[in-house]
Amino acid sequence: MAGFGAPRWRFLWRCAASPLALRRPGRALLWSRGYGQDAGSEANKKKSDVTKPCFMDELVQSLLSKMTGLDLQKVFRPIKQELKPPTYKLMTEKQLAEATRKAIEEAKELLKMPPVLSEREPIDDVLAEDRILEGTETIKYVFTDTTYSTPHRERFIVVREPSGVLRKASWEERDRMIQVYFPREGRKLVPPPIFKDENLKTVFREDRHEEVLNLCIAQFEPDSADYIRVHHQTYEDIDKHAKYDLLRSTRHFGGMVWYLVNRKKTDGLLIDMIQRNLIDDATCLINLYHMLHPDCQSAKEVKEEDAYGVDLIKVFMKTESKKVGYIELALQAYQEALASSAAL
Amino acid sequence: MVHLAHLLMKNYHGGHVAIRLALGGCANRPFFRIVAAHNKRARDGKYLEQVGCYDPLPNSHNEKLVGLNIERIKHWIGCGAHVTKPVEKLLGLSGFFPLHPMTITNAERLRKRRALKAETASEEETPGCSTECDQNYLPTILFFQKISHRTSPL
């Protein structure tokens, strides 16, 4: 037939790439790769966004992990597993120290923060239009490239519509197809109903925020709309009811702090930290706030005065916070407790 | 040691490798595997490699799923495998091959048949047509109706 001359593979099967080329290794490697916006190429930008810190910057990560804390009892608390009788070992002091050190390293692995990304852009790329085929079928065909060695982000997944249009699959279709041909543990084809808004409210009432977040990480991609929505709703609920301690010493704490600091809702968290006598964490939080909002008044005052510890909190409290009264009270209580324990 | 493997393996004279659909599944539930096999083997028999799958029944999202291991398909075609018509049509629909001529031909035929039906339907409605005209068209209408029952996308 003279109708379809040269082969079309020239302009088909173009790279379906997003800028985040991802290999498919284990979970630890998954997030140690450079995820997120460019942190390096900002020297030539305007002054307003010269040093906008990224979630994955080392400085930011160190501040967040300091605030997360390392409560071994909570990190290694019993999870639902096969019932085995406990094993007891007799160790010397040295061996115990060694075992604790290994436990701390493992805990740090478990506490690696999941990435915080902006929502992904929808894909609408048409590869070919063959209007001749219009009306021949009522059903669309979804073609997936099941080559084992291509990363999932670069995989070709195309859809031939009944109208004859050959287009790239949308993100939801992509996720579904990849789960069909390369099933991942913990991920279901249809997202479980726990992620609907009404059910989330029930779960929050039972204080099971961490479980929901773990399920969310297993089910959705970090840059999908559902992931971001569930995470934001969880953080809002925690902030509303001041349940910060639920996430302390888990891998979700860093993400929550990042969310709150970006939206300048740090007051509740600050009060909670002062009440639990975590002044170092409070200073870390304020430093992070100044890093992200270098133009705010307290940042400028701190630069001039160079305050530390409780003074830093006082400066921040006067300039930036909305719940000045509560923070003052908490600080007073803390200082009285300090004074009385020093007197003892 | 006695080497008997080559005596026990099946040898074909003048056969070729084909990439074709092997039927599986259950009663009233077909499922095809796209398979690289020797031409002379049974349709569902021993194959060299499975290179994809095709589910002819649409799922809950009204989609027919086709998985293709493009790297291996390219390898077998590079080794000189022949591709059967249904697989060629599938690959044409996917964009890996150009559209198969029979896909286009069938689409055009369907269009013509539908246009003809629409025309005859509109002519039957209008009273201006003479009875003699209708009797001449009747055998051709019946003939096309018979063909239209045999349409399928592939």
Side-chain angles (χ1 to χ4, degrees), chain B residues 96-124:
Chain B
F96 186 60
F97 278 7
L99 266 189
H100 196 265
M102 279 316 284
T103 321
I104 300 182
T105 312
N106 284 331
E108 283 174 355
R109 284 179 186 166
L110 189 65
R111 263 204 192 170
K112 277 189 205 159
R113 227 171 293 137
R114 284 193 185 151
L116 201 65
K117 244 198 231 176
E119 246 185 64
T120 46
S122 62
E123 276 181 18
E124 278 171 18

Side-chain angles (χ1 to χ4, degrees), chain A residues 6-269:
Chain A
R8 295 186 198 204
W9 39 51
R10 243 199 342 268
F11 50 85
L12 296 166
W13 296 113
R14 276 186 238 110
C15 192
S18 63
L20 315 169
L22 196 69
R23 296 276 142 199
R24 202 193 332 125
R27 194 185 63 150
L29 265 173
L30 209 73
W31 292 327
S32 63
R33 277 286 206 110
Y35 239 122
Q37 304 96 7
D38 260 9
S41 60
E42 282 147 24
N44 302 328
K45 287 196 189 165
K46 288 179 277 179
K47 208 177 181 204
S48 55
D49 44 22
V50 134
T51 39
K52 179 92 206 279
C54 181
F55 185 69
M56 283 294 163
D57 285 344
E58 281 169 23
L59 196 55
V60 173
Q61 283 285 307
S62 64
L63 284 171
L64 290 172
S65 45
K66 248 194 259 172
M67 283 192 265
T68 310
L70 198 76
D71 183 7
L72 285 174
Q73 293 299 324
K74 188 172 177 187
V75 173
F76 290 115
R77 75 178 174 284
I79 350 165
K80 218 173 177 181
Q81 323 174 323
E82 221 183 281
L83 254 182
K84 273 184 287 187
T87 51
Y88 297 97
K89 290 184 186 165
L90 193 62
M91 292 195 229
T92 60
E93 284 273 342
K94 216 172 160 191
Q95 282 171 334
L96 184 63
E98 176 70 25
T100 330
R101 192 185 58 81
K102 270 199 199 156
I104 289 177
E105 272 177 27
E106 261 181 61
K108 283 205 181 128
E109 264 304 309
L110 284 173
L111 287 180
K112 259 217 179 116
M113 295 178 219
V116 174
L117 305 166
S118 44
E119 203 178 314
R120 52 195 179 188
E121 302 285 331
I123 308 176
D124 38 19
D125 200 4
V126 168
L127 297 172
E129 290 220 19
D130 297 305
R131 293 287 166 182
I132 279 183
L133 300 176
E134 198 155 352
T136 47
E137 286 143 51
T138 48
I139 305 204
K140 48 184 175 173
Y141 284 82
V142 180
F143 297 93
T144 317
D145 177 16
T146 48
T147 315
Y148 193 68
S149 56
T150 48
H152 285 317
R153 292 268 163 166
E154 287 168 25
R155 211 169 271 289
F156 284 112
I157 303 184
V158 293
V159 177
R160 174 75 76 172
E161 298 273 354
S163 62
V165 161
L166 185 68
R167 62 168 175 87
K168 287 191 189 162
S170 64
W171 282 113
E172 292 77 29
E173 287 167 351
R174 280 189 71 90
D175 285 339
R176 219 169 0 106
M177 290 305 122
I178 291 173
Q179 181 58 17
V180 164
Y181 291 108
F182 302 96
R184 204 167 125 173
E185 216 189 296
R187 200 174 273 208
K188 310 266 165 74
L189 262 186
V190 180
I194 199 175
F195 297 118
K196 295 201 184 132
D197 294 322
E198 324 81 59
N199 301 329
L200 275 180
K201 285 190 199 140
T202 325
V203 172
F204 291 155
R205 241 178 279 141
E206 293 172 16
D207 281 355
R208 288 159 70 183
H209 300 77
E210 199 199 333
E211 282 183 39
V212 163
L213 288 180
N214 284 336
L215 284 170
C216 180
I217 291 180
Q219 179 64 36
F220 299 117
E221 292 283 306
D223 51 1
S224 69
D226 286 309
Y227 180 98
I228 294 173
R229 174 184 60 90
V230 171
H231 276 253
H232 287 192
Q233 278 186 351
T234 319
Y235 298 150
E236 287 291 333
D237 184 81
I238 290 182
D239 192 37
K240 203 164 76 166
H241 302 285
K243 293 179 184 169
Y244 306 101
D245 204 42
L246 285 172
L247 290 192
R248 200 166 264 134
S249 218
T250 59
R251 56 189 174 146
H252 310 292
F253 195 77
M256 181 181 73
V257 173
W258 182 261
Y259 173 83
L260 294 171
V261 172
N262 267 323
R263 283 156 185 76
K264 300 192 177 182
K265 291 184 184 174
T266 49
D267 299 326
L269 185 56

Side-chain angles (χ1 to χ4, degrees), chain A residues 250-313:
Chain A
T250 59
R251 56 189 174 146
H252 310 292
F253 195 77
M256 181 181 73
V257 173
W258 182 261
Y259 173 83
L260 294 171
V261 172
N262 267 323
R263 283 156 185 76
K264 300 192 177 182
K265 291 184 184 174
T266 49
D267 299 326
L269 185 56
L270 202 53
I271 298 172
D272 185 75
M273 281 175 174
I274 300 174
Q275 281 173 346
R276 288 174 206 272
N277 299 336
L278 299 162
I279 298 296
D280 297 328
D281 287 359
T283 40
C284 282
L285 179 64
I286 299 174
N287 284 334
L288 187 65
Y289 189 98
H290 291 163
M291 267 172 70
L292 277 175
H293 304 283
D295 301 329
C296 70
Q297 202 175 1
S298 71
K300 292 176 193 157
E301 284 188 23
V302 161
K303 251 194 248 175
E304 293 161 24
E305 290 180 12
D306 207 23
Y308 289 105
V310 184
D311 303 318
L312 184 63
I313 305 178

Side-chain angles (χ1 to χ4, degrees), chain A residues 300-337:
Chain A
K300 292 176 193 157
E301 284 188 23
V302 161
K303 251 194 248 175
E304 293 161 24
E305 290 180 12
D306 207 23
Y308 289 105
V310 184
D311 303 318
L312 184 63
I313 305 178
K314 286 191 183 146
V315 167
F316 180 79
M317 181 177 73
K318 281 171 207 157
T319 50
E320 286 301 320
S321 67
K322 288 150 200 149
K323 299 184 189 172
V324 193
Y326 291 101
I327 305 184
E328 267 192 53
L329 272 172
L331 260 181
Q332 256 183 351
Y334 167 73
Q335 278 168 331
E336 279 167 19

